[in-house]
Amino acid sequence: MQSKLSGKQCPIDHDHESRAYASSWPDQYREMRSECPIAWSKNHGGYWVASRYRDIVAIAQASDVFRSNKTYDAENDVVKGGVLIPPGTSVRGLPIETDRPEWDSYRSFINRKFAPKASEVRRERVRHFTTEMIDRVIETGKLDFVHDLTGPVPAMATMELMGLPLEEWREHADAMHEIVFLPKESEEFGKALERFNWVYQRCAEEFRRYRELPEEDNLLSYFAHGQIDGRPVTEEEALGYALNILAGGVDTTTSLTTHTLVYLYENPEERERLIAEPELLPTAREELVRYFSPMHGIARNVVEDFDIGDVKMEAGDRVFLPWSSGNRDPEIFDEPEKIDLARFPNRHIAFGAGMHRCIGSFMARVMFEEMLTQILERMPDYKVDVSAAERYPSVGTINGWINMPATFTPGKKRLV
Amino acid sequence: MRVRIKAERCVGHAMCYLAAPEIFVLSDEDGRASVTVDVVPEEFQEAVRQAARSCPEEAVDIY
Ligand code: HEM
Ligand code: SF4
């Protein structure tokens, strides 16, 4: 065993943003978990990577040492801290990029809106959006799953939750999808960023409009009328929430559903099984979110020296926590590389761990179940054109698909 | 067998509820769990053990 030395032990070439990572991550993490469980990468200014389940959970739970807060120095245009490596935009996501005690105020202000009951109430609407989107393609016998279904439904459900006008769903769905997968250095990224800024601007405009109206049952209106610690919510805060909810909630659910559709296409006996035994859905859902870990990983900022495993982390260091690696740790999961739709218990951390754990998991579960159930009902023989489907070039934050053409036996519309 | 939720550890993964919906409830306020019974009836004891093994935060305390 190594002794605890100060300095950055276990150097590795880890870069979750790289193209190589997109295909090699299961192997890279397997090797790290056994050889070098906490390792130092020199990329992106240097950061630790913790690959074992137990260390990832321990770090996520020690939120007083491993912080999420982000600050922005406007004069020099420098973003410090936050949960992304490399650092993201200047907008601070709420509540994701805050620490205690601020986090308590920000999170408790919205908890009730995402609780199991509030999410269950939205199921009917999610079902309606799914029916509507499938109706648009059901008579043609072909669709692009991402463009026509798994992108739009979470976008529409989230827009309704936010209080954004549903007529604009196509623009919003495209903007939220593109911003995630286009490489930051590409020319298209600039345009995608503009479109994403337009989403922001729409949120700001609606927030201001809701201020002038009586309170309605949506988040922007709730922000416009609500109080945090006895004072009104600022526009900056409303946009911080919007960033976290739109960026954290839409494409993650899209990715989970899309991956599932490929898996069920490539494993027809599993598709048959899920159709024959719909009661498998709850354990299947948890297993698929474990295996695909659509939010691949997230970062923290070390604020005091901390010994963990064989390494000594120092104040000022950054750490990357790959939930995806924890979710394939053989110390916790039997045959972690295998999908077992009936796996239970399943203590996966695809929704994170510790206090920042996903607030939207109940919404995500409702959206996933409604889309998958209706696809299996209405296009049970769908075939994916895998050769034409494209993966995200970089999967380190969100692991998803750009598009996914498919065909099926045409059917009838449900809505008139 | 008795069971309780360590409130300071529970963050609302809902795995306990998936394991034993008869024994655990999730709050409408914040999604966190609490228990509906103090003493676990025989027929739910295995499910409660599963719940404890399902919770990533080790918040389900059997005592
Ligand atoms: C399959 C879908 C989803 C996955 C895999 C996922 C994953 C995650 C993870 C891993 C975290 C923890 C981040 C951290 O520790 O810093 C998180 C936080 C969060 N998620 Fe999700 N998420 C999903 C869906 C959603 C949805 C549908 C929404 C909202 C509509 C949402 C909103 C949020 C918010 C607001 C946070 C921050 C919570 C806090 O900081 O207290 N997520 N999510
Ligand atoms: S599984 Fe654990 S953390 Fe999740 S609700 Fe149950 S007790 Fe709480």
Side-chain angles (χ1 to χ4, degrees):
Chain A
M1 218 177 86
Q2 271 175 310
S3 61
K4 273 185 193 154
L5 301 161
S6 95
K8 315 300 187 201
Q9 301 104 357
C10 245
I12 48 153
D13 184 16
H14 176 281
D15 180 2
H16 47 284
E17 290 267 303
S18 72
R19 276 168 195 263
Y21 176 92
S23 53
S24 65
W25 68 266
D27 299 329
Q28 181 168 34
Y29 287 135
R30 191 178 312 113
E31 208 175 298
M32 277 179 68
R33 283 188 305 262
S34 64
E35 309 283 321
C36 218
I38 300 183
W40 177 258
S41 168
K42 281 199 295 242
N43 299 313
H44 303 300
Y47 58 94
W48 296 104
V49 184
S51 58
R52 282 187 183 161
Y53 182 99
R54 287 192 190 284
D55 292 335
I56 295 171
V57 171
I59 291 173
Q61 288 178 337
S63 51
D64 50 337
V65 176
F66 298 93
R67 308 257 180 125
S68 300
N69 193 45
K70 175 156 85 184
T71 53
Y72 177 58
D73 169 1
E75 216 162 283
N76 302 302
D77 191 28
V78 182
V79 173
K80 272 231 167 84
V83 294
L84 296 177
I85 295 175
T89 68
S90 60
V91 182
R92 182 170 75 142
L94 298 185
I96 197 165
E97 290 178 317
T98 64
D99 300 317
R100 288 212 139 111
E102 251 189 329
W103 174 86
D104 293 288
S105 305
Y106 284 127
R107 172 106 178 198
S108 62
F109 182 59
I110 57 167
N111 263 336
R112 201 163 39 84
K113 304 284 181 187
F114 292 90
K117 189 167 159 206
S119 305
E120 211 42 57
V121 165
R122 306 205 157 259
R123 188 181 288 275
E124 272 310 312
R125 290 293 290 161
V126 175
R127 185 171 301 165
H128 174 79
F129 296 140
T130 310
T131 307
E132 206 176 305
M133 293 313 295
I134 295 184
D135 270 7
R136 295 166 80 108
V137 297
I138 191 77
E139 291 175 345
T140 68
K142 60 173 200 273
L143 85 167
D144 183 311
F145 271 127
V146 179
H147 186 262
D148 297 323
L149 195 59
T150 62
V153 171
M156 292 163 107
T158 314
M159 285 175 72
E160 187 164 85
L161 175 71
M162 289 299 297
L164 292 164
L166 276 175
E167 314 80 82
E168 298 170 9
W169 71 267
R170 177 86 270 165
E171 289 87 340
H172 285 268
D174 290 348
M176 290 176 218
H177 181 49
E178 284 170 5
I179 194 74
V180 179
F181 72 81
L182 287 170
K184 307 228 169 9
E185 61 289 352
S186 71
E187 206 174 293
E188 297 99 309
F189 187 77
K191 294 206 193 87
L193 199 58
E194 262 171 46
R195 278 197 281 274
F196 198 74
N197 285 335
W198 171 81
V199 171
Y200 261 143
Q201 190 197 318
R202 292 296 297 116
C203 290
E205 286 163 5
E206 293 301 305
F207 172 71
R208 281 178 227 143
R209 199 174 63 82
Y210 284 123
R211 272 195 169 152
E212 310 302 319
L213 300 169
E215 189 172 343
E216 293 175 33
D217 181 20
N218 65 59
L219 288 176
L220 286 170
S221 177
Y222 177 64
F223 299 154
H225 293 272
Q227 300 227 321
I228 298 179
D229 297 340
R231 51 148 190 96
V233 180
T234 66
E235 184 170 313
E236 190 185 336
E237 288 170 333
L239 292 180
Y241 276 123
L243 170 71
N244 191 174
I245 293 162
L246 297 173
V250 176
D251 218 58
T252 43
T253 312
T254 302
S255 304
L256 172 63
T257 315
T258 317
H259 273 296
T260 297
L261 292 170
V262 185
Y263 171 73
L264 294 178
Y265 168 65
E266 289 176 340
N267 297 274
E269 66 301 338
E270 293 294 276
R271 172 158 38 169
E272 288 311 314
R273 189 170 165 219
L274 208 48
I275 293 173
E277 301 167 55
E279 63 281 7
L280 262 181
L281 199 56
T283 53
R285 174 190 83 194
E286 299 306 319
E287 174 68 344
L288 292 157
V289 74
R290 173 190 76 84
Y291 187 83
F292 294 116
S293 297
M295 184 185 281
H296 228 237
I298 206 112
R300 293 287 190 265
N301 308 285
V302 184
V303 296
E304 49 189 82
D305 295 0
F306 195 86
D307 289 349
I308 182 164
D310 293 333
V311 310
K312 202 177 198 58
M313 295 189 182
E314 293 168 305
D317 288 351
R318 306 199 77 202
V319 194
F320 184 70
L321 304 178
W323 313 115
S324 52
S325 177
N327 280 336
R328 296 201 186 182
D329 189 338
E331 197 188 305
I332 306 292
F333 303 98
D334 294 334
E335 297 194 85
E337 308 287 341
K338 201 177 144 249
I339 296 182
D340 170 4
L341 298 182
R343 186 189 292 272
F344 204 81
N346 183 348
R347 54 198 294 179
H348 74 78
I349 45 174
F351 289 117
M355 72 184 200
H356 285 284
R357 185 199 168 271
C358 186
I359 197 174
S361 61
F362 298 101
M363 252 320 261
R365 285 161 171 155
V366 166
M367 296 190 281
F368 172 77
E369 286 175 1
E370 287 305 317
M371 287 190 282
L372 191 64
T373 304
Q374 217 174 123
I375 290 166
L376 294 179
E377 256 169 44
R378 300 181 70 188
M379 35 183 94
D381 64 349
Y382 74 83
K383 290 191 185 59
V384 173
D385 182 354
V386 182
S387 64
E390 291 172 89
R391 289 293 296 272
Y392 286 178
S394 127
V395 305
T397 306
I398 308 284
N399 175 8
W401 295 79
I402 298 175
N403 52 33
M404 184 166 294
T407 53
F408 56 89
T409 306
K412 287 206 171 13
K413 289 189 185 181
R414 283 188 177 172
L415 302 172
V416 276
Chain B
M1 179 199 266
R2 286 166 180 267
V3 66
R4 65 180 167 194
I5 300 290
K6 292 184 181 164
E8 71 289 358
R9 299 191 75 95
C10 174
V11 298
H13 287 270
M15 287 302 191
C16 54
Y17 178 72
L18 195 57
E22 302 83 357
I23 304 298
F24 300 96
V25 282
L26 301 174
S27 148
D28 293 342
E29 233 6 86
D30 61 11
R32 293 200 213 175
S34 49
V35 293
T36 57
V37 295
D38 190 14
V39 177
V40 182
E42 185 75 39
E43 70 261 43
F44 297 123
Q45 292 188 355
E46 183 46 34
V48 167
R49 271 184 219 106
Q50 285 218 342
R53 269 181 274 134
S54 310
C55 174
E57 313 289 336
E58 299 180 9
V60 177
D61 185 20
I62 297 171
Y63 63 106

